[in-house]
Structures are given as C-alpha cells and as structure tokens.
Amino acid sequence: MQALLALSRLIDGINLRVGRAVIWLTLLMAIVSASNAVVRKTLHISSNAWLELQWYMFGAIFLLAAGYTLLKNEHVRVDVLAQRLSRRTQIKIEIFGVLFFLLPACLLVLWLSWPMFIESLIKHEQSSNTGGLIRWPVKLLIPVGFLLLVLAGISHLIKCIGYLQGLCADPLAREQAKTAEEALADEIAREALERDGTPASSAVEAQSGRPQQ
C-alpha cells in the first residue's frame, strides 16, 4: 500500500504542476481576447487564426485542468444525501463512483479520441475557416486531458482506500481557504451592513459570529 500511496503522490504532483501552468493560460487567453477586440474595433482587422487560438486555449484550460480540479475536490458534487452519512460510508461511495463511473467514462473518451487525433495528425487537418489554425493540436488536448483525469481518479481511489485503512488523510477534505464565491458573498454582506450604518468592525463580527479581539 505504501508503494501505491507513493504513486498517488507522484500523480498528484503531475496534476498540480499542470494546474499551475494552466493558470497562466487563463491570463494569456484574456490578453489575446482583449487584443483581438481592440484591433477589430479600432483598425477593423480580424484574424481567424487569433480567434481560434482563443478557443484552443479555452479548451486547454478546461481539459488539462480537469485532473487538478479533482485533486482539489472542486468538481460539482450532488451530495444532499451523502453528506448525511458517515465519512467512511462517503468514502465507500467515492470508491464505487470512481470504479464504475469516472474511470470507465474517461477511458471510453480516451479510447475514442485518440484515433481522431491520429487521423487529424496524418492528414495535417486544417481549419475550414480562412486563415485558421491546424486542428491536430486541439484534438490532442482531448486524450491528454482525459488521461490526466484518469490518473487523478486512480490517485483519488488509492487515497480513499488508504483512508479506510488509516494510512492517509481524508481525501474528501477541502482546503480551508474561501472560494471566490464565498469571498464575494462576504464582501457583499459587509457592504450591506456598512450601508445600514454598522461599523466595519461590527460587520466583521456579524459575519464571523464572534467579537474581534
């Protein structure tokens, strides 16, 4: 089991590095998108290649970061019933879900998408849009993204089994840092309290439920 946990840490390290790299793609996509808009509105010049580059980066962000998102437990979960169960029962449900839903679905997409990429590569498939980009790089993103998700699923499975054996931490535990949505909700609540005449310090106390020291 220790060897499997070491494999899990290796997989997590790969997805962590990929996720951190993809963060920069988000910035680059925003720059390209803004530049395209400015050039189109001011110089009345448009380029299909640059527009498609935006789409490629958009696809790369979601496909390549899927494994990283699973690593951080940020995929949407419909757990209205599961959250009422004990943690060990929740972990057993996770194992069932990974084995019979996540891995089979990802492996199926991986198996179907690889021939599409190979065919596109061999034929040097080009965009049907004038001045567009070659197609095989974006088609390669599909099997690569799902491969990373398969690896993340295997790592998650190992950690779930390790947790049941008392060998590793809770794999369903999330980081304590607030999400962007939670931070925004706190800011809106703080502003509402301040508009009602509540001092900023009292607003913080009201949200936290405890007086400030």
Side-chain angles (χ1 to χ4, degrees), residues 111-154:
W111 180 62
L112 294 174
S113 61
W114 185 254
M116 293 172 52
F117 157 68
I118 295 298
E119 181 181 6
S120 179
L121 177 63
I122 293 174
K123 292 182 177 180
H124 302 287
E125 184 181 3
Q126 192 78 18
S127 170
S128 59
N129 299 316
T130 303
L133 302 174
I134 54 176
R135 282 285 188 248
W136 68 261
V138 73
K139 290 189 175 181
L140 177 60
L141 291 173
I142 301 174
V144 171
F146 276 88
L147 175 60
L148 290 171
L149 187 54
V150 166
L151 292 175
I154 293 173

Side-chain angles (χ1 to χ4, degrees), residues 41-54:
K41 295 296 184 180
T42 58
L43 303 179
H44 305 289
I45 298 174
S46 181
S47 168
N48 285 328
W50 285 99
L51 289 174
E52 290 183 2
L53 180 60
Q54 293 176 219

Side-chain angles (χ1 to χ4, degrees), residues 73-90:
N73 277 314
E74 292 296 337
H75 281 289
V76 175
R77 296 174 183 268
V78 183
D79 57 358
V80 176
L81 297 178
Q83 66 183 354
R84 300 176 182 272
L85 304 174
S86 68
R87 182 59 95 186
R88 290 183 65 85
T89 302
Q90 292 180 31

Side-chain angles (χ1 to χ4, degrees), residues 110-212:
L110 187 59
W111 180 62
L112 294 174
S113 61
W114 185 254
M116 293 172 52
F117 157 68
I118 295 298
E119 181 181 6
S120 179
L121 177 63
I122 293 174
K123 292 182 177 180
H124 302 287
E125 184 181 3
Q126 192 78 18
S127 170
S128 59
N129 299 316
T130 303
L133 302 174
I134 54 176
R135 282 285 188 248
W136 68 261
V138 73
K139 290 189 175 181
L140 177 60
L141 291 173
I142 301 174
V144 171
F146 276 88
L147 175 60
L148 290 171
L149 187 54
V150 166
L151 292 175
I154 293 173
S155 173
H156 188 64
L157 180 62
I158 292 171
K159 286 182 285 189
C160 286
I161 296 173
Y163 175 81
L164 292 179
Q165 295 182 358
L167 298 176
C168 64
D170 184 357
L172 297 182
R174 293 190 177 186
E175 295 181 359
Q176 295 301 313
K178 291 183 179 179
T179 64
E181 291 80 5
E182 290 171 339
L184 178 60
D186 287 349
E187 181 63 25
I188 292 173
R190 183 182 297 109
E191 291 179 356
L193 288 170
E194 290 177 350
R195 282 197 301 270
D196 291 339
T198 306
S201 58
S202 299
V204 173
E205 292 175 13
Q207 292 179 72
S208 63
R210 61 181 184 275
Q212 293 206 334

